[in-house]
């Protein structure tokens, strides 16, 4: 299959590469010419813009926007829609707000254009590990693009199968992707995924902050410990009930520098945490941990702790997010 990919950053470029490795064709465009050139060197077809890309795609044309949520994605989807014909497919693989997906899908459906939203997790490791995808959209459109989703997904790999999993459940879930529901459902599931991610990361950050220890007149000298955080992270990775990829990334960062001096501790957020809390409020669902984790990120921009540096280290580890010391 042939697909047009717009936005060749940390994830978009590697999505194109993984698809090409699986035998698909990628027509690529980015504002940065060097990003296009790098993909062309790997076998992609260059496009000078969206209209040029349309002319190089098959019918129905498939466009994948991999850009930050907000105005740039809105403008790009609008521009794609202007060149699309009936039956063409527009995919937003960024972290858009799910209600925007619902609105866009309705607007594009009036023109006969099919819209798919893909919550994409995998970060800078996706080229080799594959991408976990949560997909929203009409079944016929999702099924049409399924060969590409299958190529991008991690596959069953070495993860043991879940005992007792019902036979009638979607087999794609075991491959690392699902059709979650209609337009908006994919990004809704990814939004909550990221909200949970905030909570998990905050738990590790606070735990290691306590392990690092601070002076306190409530502790006598023999009750204060000079602990090797690198060893603790390593032993927890092996057989512990709190082992995870986030812990793997923490262990790697601590092994390089136990003081994490390369990280600012000024922890950014890209919106999904707040959207998750907004959804919890709309649904009247208590979300104490996720809310506290979001507020901790806001606080980190004023007052940094060692735990905040660990959050920065994890964000760099999975997503390449750079939070440089001030």
């Amino acid at each position: 299959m042939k697909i047009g990919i717009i936005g060749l950053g940390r994830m978009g470029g590697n999505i194109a590469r993984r698809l090409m490795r699986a035998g698909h064709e990628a027509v690529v465009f980015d504002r940065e010419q060097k990003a296009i050139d790098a993909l062309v060197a790997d076998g992609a077809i260059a496009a000078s813009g969206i209209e040029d890309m349309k002319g190089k795609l098959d019918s129905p044309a498939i466009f994948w926007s991999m850009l930050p949520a907000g105005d740039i994605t809105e403008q790009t989807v609008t521009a794609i829609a202007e060149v699309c014909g009936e039956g063409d497919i527009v995919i937003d693989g960024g972290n858009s707000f799910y209600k925007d997906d619902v609105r866009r899908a309705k607007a594009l459906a009036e023109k006969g254009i099919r819209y798919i939203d893909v919550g994409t997790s995998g970060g800078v490791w996706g080229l080799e590990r594959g991408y976990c995808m949560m997909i929203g959209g009409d079944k016929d459109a999702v099924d049409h693009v399924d060969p590409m989703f299958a190529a991008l997904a991690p596959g069953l790999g070495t993860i043991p199968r879940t005992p007792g999993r019902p036979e009638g459940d979607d087999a794609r879930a075991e491959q690392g992707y699902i059709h979650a529901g209609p337009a908006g459902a994919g990004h809704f599931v990814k939004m909550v995924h990221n909200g949970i991610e905030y909570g998990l990361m905050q738990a590790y950050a606070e735990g290691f902050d306590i392990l690092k220890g601070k002076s306190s007149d409530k502790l006598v000298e023999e009750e204060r410990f000079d602990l090797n955080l690198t060893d603790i992270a390593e032993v927890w990775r092996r057989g512990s009930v709190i082992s995870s990829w986030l812990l793997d990334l923490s262990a790697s960062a601590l092994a390089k520098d136990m003081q994490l001096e390369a990280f600012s501790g000024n922890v950014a957020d890209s919106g999904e945490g707040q959207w998750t809390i907004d959804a919890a409020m709309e649904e009247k669902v208590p979300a104490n941990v996720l809310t506290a984790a979001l507020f901790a990120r806001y606080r980190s921009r004023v007052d940094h702790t060692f735990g905040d540096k660990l959050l920065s280290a994890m964000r760099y580890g999975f997503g390449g997010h750079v939070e440089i010391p001030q």
Side-chain angles (χ1 to χ4, degrees):
M1 298 183 76
K2 186 182 286 189
I3 187 168
I5 300 177
I6 302 157
L8 308 176
R10 287 189 298 264
M11 291 181 69
N14 281 344
I15 284 173
R17 290 183 177 94
R18 189 169 173 91
L19 286 171
M20 289 189 293
R21 286 183 181 183
H24 298 287
E25 293 182 273
V27 183
V28 298
F29 174 71
D30 191 278
R31 289 180 176 179
E32 297 290 335
Q33 184 62 43
K34 62 181 181 181
I36 298 175
D37 294 342
L39 264 298
V40 170
D42 288 336
I45 302 166
S48 60
I50 292 172
E51 188 170 356
D52 181 47
M53 179 177 284
K54 165 67 172 175
K56 295 177 178 179
L57 294 174
D58 297 333
S59 183
I62 305 169
F63 293 85
W64 183 307
S65 170
M66 201 64 191
L67 297 165
D71 291 344
I72 183 63
T73 290
E74 192 71 33
Q75 293 163 7
T76 300
V77 171
T78 299
I80 294 171
E82 289 175 355
V83 303
C84 278
E86 187 170 352
D88 288 345
I89 297 172
V90 179
I91 302 170
D92 176 12
N95 281 326
S96 289
F97 185 42
Y98 74 97
K99 292 184 181 181
D100 289 337
D101 294 312
V102 174
R103 171 179 51 79
R104 290 177 194 147
K106 288 181 179 178
L108 268 60
E110 293 176 359
K111 301 178 180 180
I113 302 168
R114 297 176 287 176
Y115 181 89
I116 298 173
D117 55 288
V118 182
T120 312
S121 183
V124 296
W125 300 85
L127 177 60
E128 301 302 331
R129 291 170 59 110
Y131 298 91
C132 173
M133 292 169 291
M134 298 134 270
I135 304 162
D138 291 336
K139 184 179 183 301
D140 63 337
V142 173
D143 287 349
H144 182 81
V145 188
D146 187 79
M148 291 188 181
F149 293 142
L152 290 172
L156 188 61
T158 60
I159 298 173
R161 285 196 147 125
T162 301
R165 178 173 164 80
E167 297 250 344
D169 285 359
D170 191 345
R172 291 175 293 189
E174 289 189 316
Q175 302 299 316
Y177 70 111
I178 58 168
H179 181 196
H187 278 146
F188 183 80
V189 175
K190 178 57 162 49
M191 176 189 77
V192 178
H193 163 285
N194 282 22
I196 293 170
E197 177 185 292
Y198 283 30
L200 292 172
M201 292 172 68
Q202 187 64 27
Y204 285 124
E206 292 177 10
F208 277 95
D209 214 355
I210 295 167
L211 290 170
K212 188 172 189 298
K214 292 183 172 65
S215 299
S216 171
D217 55 11
K218 294 183 179 180
L219 290 176
V220 296
E221 189 62 33
E222 58 266 29
E223 293 175 346
R224 297 175 184 170
F225 305 111
D226 183 14
L227 300 170
N228 187 312
L229 303 186
T230 303
D231 286 349
I232 292 169
E234 189 64 30
V235 76
W236 282 354
R237 293 180 62 219
R238 303 179 184 281
S240 163
V241 297
I242 62 167
S243 59
S244 72
W245 186 30
L246 291 171
L247 182 59
D248 294 345
L249 296 172
S250 299
S252 178
L254 289 165
K256 291 176 182 175
D257 172 18
M258 197 158 63
Q259 301 304 316
L260 302 177
E261 295 293 345
F263 299 97
S264 69
N266 185 330
V267 187
D269 72 280
S270 51
E272 296 90 346
Q274 180 180 330
W275 298 339
T276 303
I277 305 310
D278 290 343
M281 293 176 68
E282 289 177 355
E283 298 174 10
K284 296 182 172 58
V285 174
N288 307 56
V289 172
L290 308 191
T291 303
L294 175 64
F295 287 170
R297 293 199 178 194
Y298 295 162
R299 189 264 311 137
S300 77
R301 297 162 205 173
V302 179
D303 177 32
H304 318 312
T305 67
F306 178 79
D308 296 331
K309 289 186 176 184
L310 189 60
L311 287 175
S312 289
M314 283 185 271
R315 280 172 51 78
Y316 179 76
F318 67 71
H321 305 289
V322 178
E323 291 159 348
I324 301 170
Q326 301 298 309

